[in-house]
């Protein structure tokens, strides 16, 4: 471990002596493909410019898995095995070991628990905020039907939410604890679950701003919040006479909370293993850039250890819609109808645009009759580290489901989060996406919608069956329309960015989020 490097999960050292994220990503993708697609593995391993060329290889992972259920599980299993073999764990003394060492390693911290009980009344009815209203009952059902008709969500998504709305006793998840890794995530379920009376175990990095918000939410909510604290706190051993670390009424509590999961997976595993009753491990953690893969690897190591320690653990993930998915024939057919019914002006303008762009713009989304179709919504600006981190989650969901575990893995809609609006290209593309049939959600709507799907999956015991994993991923997807629009997403989003540039800039000015050149832009969490 070099000077300045933090202990914990880290990248392997490449042949040039650097810890290369590109080398790691290239190797993991190649290993995932090798058994089912040797040519694809070779192409990935020979990709010289991984940061620019990664899109093709992540698509090929999905295509290779379509051959059979066994092929898809093989891709997931081999990809995870490669990650665990290659990623390293750096000790404070500079020694390193493999990621698999975390399965039995002792924690470096002793964690105690802060418990915060909410003072509010639990919500007794499912309601989803939408454009200034809170939709429930018949109004919610009409909105779900409208989203289905517009191709914004899959019919199975509407059915799942409607089932929760009809059985509001599900909302409190009685007897269960949901561990929210990434408690401060902008579209994570923590605020909604606490408002429903759920017991939530929260993990996030030390950040007084995050914890002040989380604690306020917990105290005004109706649930119970459990938070791990390193004994002695982040500032060393407590002084004589100081309040104990697990005192929930400390005025400076938000200054003392926070735990770097990637630095001490065994300590986090030990703490979670001690929580009584069925436990759901929800992965909503995010970090910028290469650190995202580091965090995703740490969470996966935690998942392996925790599921080995106890048999009552279910898993939860939010999949990003800007990835590659196999989609059902019904989505292909609706896309084909949208393409045939596009306005005359769009038909007349298509050929000049395609000619000027070398055929890259306004391409039809799928070959006629594709079953399943391949929706490639990858956005180059996201970068290979973000895509790899999200793909690791999908792989773990596939492998766990194949083993009979309860898994809630749902595709979340494009959402107007701070991490999107700070990126001018993405903000403009989202602002103009409505011109092409894509609905971009507000964070509060996404939070409530995805929390309802989580409750549905846990209460109905969603266990992937003998179907192909792509069908499990497509079930209850809320993709915002990306699967059912007329054009391939990347061939339309460039134009969407041009059309949305002015509205996005105006919205940034009005919200005060337009970057000030005199001040640094603080990294924030990326939403799915």
């Amino acid at each position: 471990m070099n000077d300045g490097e933090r202990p914990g999960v880290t990248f392997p050292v490449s042949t040039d002596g650097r810890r290369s994220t590109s080398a790691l990503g290239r190797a993991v993708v190649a290993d995932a493909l090798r058994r089912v697609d040797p040519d694809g593995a070779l192409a990935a391993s020979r990709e010289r410019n991984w940061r620019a060329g990664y899109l093709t290889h992540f698509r090929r992972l999905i295509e290779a898995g379509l051959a059979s259920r066994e092929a898809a599980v093989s891709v997931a299993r081999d990809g995870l095995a490669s990650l665990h073999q290659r990623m390293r764990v750096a000790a404070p003394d500079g020694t390193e070991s493999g990621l698999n060492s975390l399965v039995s390693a002792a924690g470096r911290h002793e964690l105690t628990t802060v418990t915060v009980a909410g003072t509010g009344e639990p919500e007794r009815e499912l309601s989803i905020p939408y454009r200034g209203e809170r939709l429930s009952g018949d109004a919610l059902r009409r909105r779900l039907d409208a989203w289905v008709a517009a191709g914004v969500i899959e019919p199975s998504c509407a059915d799942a939410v409607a089932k929760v709305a009809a059985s509001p006793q599900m909302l409190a998840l009685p007897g269960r604890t949901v561990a929210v890794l990434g408690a401060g995530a902008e579209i994570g379920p923590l605020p909604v679950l606490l408002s429903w009376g759920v017991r939530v175990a929260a993990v996030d990095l030390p950040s007084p701003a995050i914890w002040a918000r989380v604690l306020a939410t917990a105290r005004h909510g109706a649930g119970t919040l459990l938070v791990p604290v390193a004994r002695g706190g982040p500032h060393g051993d407590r002084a004589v006479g100081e309040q104990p670390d697990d005192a929930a009424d400390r005025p400076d509590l938000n200054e003392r909370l926070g735990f770097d999961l990637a630095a001490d997976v065994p300590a986090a595993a030990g703490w979670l293993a001690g929580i009584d009753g069925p436990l759901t491990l929800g992965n909503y953690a995010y970090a910028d850039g290469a650190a995202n893969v580091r965090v995703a690897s740490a969470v996966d190591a935690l998942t392996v250890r925790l599921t080995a320690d106890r048999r009552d653990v279910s898993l939860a993930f939010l999949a990003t819609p800007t990835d590659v998915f196999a989609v059902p024939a019904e989505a292909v057919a609706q896309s084909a109808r949208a393409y045939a019914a596009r306005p005359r002006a769009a038909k007349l303008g298509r050929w000049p645009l395609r000619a000027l762009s070398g055929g890259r713009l306004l391409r039809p989304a799928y070959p006629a009759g594709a079953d399943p179709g391949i929706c490639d919504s990858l956005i180059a600006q996201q970068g290979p580290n973000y895509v790899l981190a999200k793909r690791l989650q999908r792989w773990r969901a596939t492998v766990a489901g194949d083993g009979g575990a309860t898994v809630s893995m749902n595709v979340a809609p494009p959402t107007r989060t701070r991490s999107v609006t700070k990126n001018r290209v993405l903000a403009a593309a989202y602002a103009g996406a409505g011109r092409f049939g894509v609905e971009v959600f507000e964070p509060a709507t996404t939070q409530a919608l995805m929390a309802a799907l989580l409750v549905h999956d846990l209460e109905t015991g969603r266990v992937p069956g003998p179907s192909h994993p792509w069908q499990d991923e497509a079930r209850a997807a809320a993709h915002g329309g990306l699967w059912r629009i007329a054009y391939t997403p990347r061939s339309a989003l460039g134009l969407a960015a041009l059309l949305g540039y002015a509205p996005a800039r105006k919205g940034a000015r009005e919200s005060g989020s337009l970057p000030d050149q005199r001040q640094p832009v603080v990294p924030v969490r990326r939403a799915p």
Side-chain angles (χ1 to χ4, degrees):
M1 186 170 67
N2 298 329
D3 291 341
E5 290 185 2
R6 291 179 297 173
V9 177
T10 189
F11 291 88
V13 177
S14 302
T15 54
D16 60 2
R18 298 182 300 113
R19 297 190 188 274
S20 170
T21 61
S22 292
L24 183 280
R26 183 165 48 237
V28 169
V29 170
D31 289 344
L33 286 168
R34 188 162 286 111
R35 193 187 306 268
V36 298
D37 183 2
D39 291 340
L42 184 62
S45 66
R46 290 180 173 177
E47 178 62 64
R48 293 187 176 183
N49 188 353
W50 186 250
R51 293 186 181 278
Y54 75 94
L55 300 173
T56 298
H57 307 293
F58 276 95
R59 176 181 176 122
R60 194 150 184 171
L61 287 166
I62 301 302
E63 293 173 330
L66 287 180
S68 65
R69 175 182 175 82
E70 291 72 24
V73 174
S74 173
V75 167
R77 199 179 301 280
D78 290 350
L80 291 173
S82 176
L83 178 87
H84 281 255
Q85 177 187 358
R86 295 177 183 280
M87 288 293 284
R88 314 303 294 165
V89 180
D93 64 3
T95 59
E96 293 187 8
S97 57
L99 197 63
N100 288 332
S101 67
L102 296 176
V103 172
S104 58
R108 294 189 296 108
H109 297 85
E110 181 184 354
L111 300 182
T112 186
T113 302
V114 169
T115 302
V116 180
T119 59
E121 288 295 319
E123 295 183 14
R124 305 294 185 184
E125 182 180 43
L126 175 62
S127 65
I128 294 180
Y130 185 70
R131 297 182 177 177
E133 301 181 64
R134 291 200 69 91
L135 305 181
S136 60
D138 290 342
L140 176 57
R141 181 73 250 189
R142 288 193 296 271
R143 172 43 48 193
L144 293 171
D145 290 342
W147 277 335
V148 170
V152 171
I153 64 176
E154 293 301 290
S156 51
C157 177
D159 292 342
V161 175
K163 186 171 184 178
V164 174
S167 305
Q169 69 275 8
M170 290 184 179
L171 296 177
L173 292 174
R176 179 181 298 275
T177 301
V178 178
V180 177
L181 309 181
E186 193 169 359
I187 62 169
L190 182 141
V192 180
L193 294 178
L194 289 173
S195 74
W196 292 342
V198 178
R199 186 164 77 151
V200 176
V203 178
D204 211 321
L205 291 170
S207 169
I210 288 176
W211 288 108
R213 185 172 71 251
V214 170
L215 290 174
T217 299
R219 287 170 176 142
H220 287 91
T224 301
L225 183 72
L226 309 178
V227 186
V229 181
R231 190 169 293 280
H235 306 300
D237 294 334
R238 61 181 183 270
V240 175
E242 188 179 3
Q243 289 176 284
D245 289 324
D246 57 356
D249 57 351
R250 294 182 59 110
D252 65 337
L253 186 60
N254 61 301
E255 301 282 345
R256 301 177 59 82
L257 297 182
F259 181 73
D260 186 354
L261 170 64
D264 197 350
V265 168
W271 180 71
L272 289 168
I275 295 175
D276 62 298
L279 178 70
T280 297
L281 187 64
N283 184 358
Y284 308 97
Y286 169 77
D288 281 326
N292 202 17
V293 177
R294 177 176 176 264
V295 171
S297 300
V299 173
D300 199 67
L302 171 66
T303 303
V304 171
R305 178 163 175 160
L306 197 60
T307 52
D309 286 345
R310 50 190 296 177
R311 301 299 178 186
D312 59 349
V313 177
S314 51
L315 305 181
F317 309 91
L318 289 184
T320 176
T322 50
D323 201 341
V324 184
F325 292 92
V327 306
E330 294 81 0
V332 174
Q334 184 169 356
S335 173
R337 292 193 297 271
Y339 187 79
R342 65 197 188 283
R344 178 176 175 81
K347 295 178 181 179
L348 293 175
R350 173 176 173 263
W351 292 110
L353 284 171
R354 292 205 67 195
L356 290 171
S357 66
R360 292 189 296 272
L361 292 179
L362 300 184
R363 291 183 286 111
Y366 307 101
D371 184 13
I374 298 291
C375 179
D376 183 350
S377 298
L378 288 169
I379 298 175
Q381 286 82 358
Q382 292 178 135
N385 291 318
Y386 177 70
V387 178
L388 177 60
K390 298 304 293 184
R391 196 62 64 89
L392 296 178
Q393 296 176 11
R394 291 173 63 183
W395 286 345
R396 178 55 60 190
T398 294
V399 171
D402 185 62
T406 297
V407 178
S408 176
M409 204 290 297
N410 294 303
V411 179
T415 304
R416 198 171 284 103
T417 58
R418 290 187 298 273
S419 60
V420 168
T421 56
K422 77 171 185 177
N423 183 303
R424 292 184 179 181
V425 174
L426 291 177
Y430 275 25
R435 304 282 191 96
F436 297 92
V438 177
E439 180 168 349
V440 178
F441 283 45
E442 293 301 322
T445 304
T446 296
Q447 270 189 335
L449 180 66
M450 303 316 291
L453 292 175
L454 171 63
V455 165
H456 171 269
D457 295 342
L458 297 179
E459 288 295 280
T460 60
R462 177 171 171 176
V463 178
S467 57
H468 193 287
W470 81 257
Q471 294 170 306
D472 296 324
E473 291 186 335
R475 183 170 42 163
H479 45 74
L482 288 168
W483 293 8
R484 293 178 177 246
I485 59 174
Y487 309 107
T488 60
R490 274 205 306 279
S491 77
L493 289 179
L495 282 178
L498 291 175
L499 295 169
Y501 178 76
R505 190 168 179 81
K506 179 182 178 182
R509 284 201 186 96
E510 292 175 349
S511 66
S513 62
L514 193 65
D516 186 336
Q517 293 182 352
R518 297 169 297 176
Q519 299 176 350
V521 178
V522 180
V524 294
R525 299 174 182 274
R526 183 192 302 269

